[in-house]
Amino acid sequence: DKQIVHFEDCSRRPKASCCVHGKYYMPTPLIPGHEAAGKVVEVGSAVTYCQTGDHVILSTFGNCGHCPECEDGHPGNCRNGGMGGLKQPYIEGEQPLYNFANIGAFVQETIVNENQCIPIPKEVPLASASLIGCGVITGTGAVFNRAKVQIGDTVVVIGAGGVGLNVILEANIVGASHI
């Protein structure tokens, strides 16, 4: 269920540099980068919904789908490949390197789980699509899943980066009265 993706675009977010410089704990050496889009260059025999040549957005949720956490609706806590899996899929010389957020997108190509690849139309610019993998998903999830914003609610957003801008957009779509 693995496939190789050639990165066409990866946004440089402050979170990636914070990991490298020690603000967020991540083991080192580390390949940062978690918002990426690219083209599938090879698929494994068990891959069912992506094909070579597809344009894809990558998701940080490389969950297995079968452990108790996944089956209970919490794929971010996956025991077998979630965010805390701390995989070392890259090697430089003889030194294993960790990847950030199940992707480590500051490379030319990577191997990811099929469920991390979201096919998109080829007309969508990959530079724009790469932002969807974190900023759009996180901002949208904050409004709909975490805060459960309703029509008429007041929403306070501190910061208008990739996530904050998407919180503002989604809160507006929901019908928040003050943002």
Side-chain angles (χ1 to χ4, degrees):
D1 68 337
K2 306 274 188 202
Q3 51 201 347
I4 298 174
V5 175
H6 176 81
F7 293 120
E8 296 289 325
D9 195 84
C10 176
S11 67
R12 186 186 173 283
R13 295 279 305 275
K15 189 181 292 183
S17 25
C18 287
C19 290
V20 172
H21 297 294
K23 182 175 179 183
Y24 300 132
Y25 171 74
M26 288 295 296
T28 56
L30 171 74
I31 303 293
H34 67 288
E35 285 185 317
K39 297 176 187 172
V40 176
V41 295
E42 187 177 328
V43 296
S45 60
V47 172
T48 59
Y49 67 85
C50 284
Q51 299 176 2
T52 301
D54 281 355
H55 288 203
V56 294
I57 297 167
L58 294 185
S59 167
T60 59
F61 284 104
N63 56 295
C64 74
H66 306 292
C67 69
E69 285 76 11
C70 286
E71 289 185 357
D72 196 32
H74 300 286
N77 298 327
C78 177
R79 294 180 186 185
N80 303 312
M83 293 284 282
L86 299 178
K87 294 182 238 166
Q88 292 179 295
Y90 308 110
I91 296 176
E92 182 177 37
E94 295 186 23
Q95 174 69 53
L97 308 171
Y98 289 96
N99 67 355
F100 178 66
N102 284 323
I103 295 176
F106 288 4
V107 293
Q108 289 182 321
E109 293 182 348
T110 192
I111 299 172
V112 293
N113 294 327
E114 179 180 25
N115 65 359
Q116 288 181 262
C117 288
I118 303 153
I120 59 171
K122 291 183 178 176
E123 300 78 36
V124 175
L126 293 172
S128 300
S130 69
L131 299 173
I132 295 171
C134 179
V136 174
I137 290 173
T138 304
T140 301
V143 170
F144 290 105
N145 301 327
R146 186 63 69 182
K148 299 183 183 336
V149 177
Q150 302 292 313
I151 294 172
D153 285 353
T154 296
V155 175
V156 175
V157 182
I158 300 173
V163 175
L165 286 174
N166 282 285
V167 169
I168 293 166
L169 289 170
E170 299 305 332
N172 186 54
I173 288 171
V174 169
S177 61
H178 294 86
I179 302 171

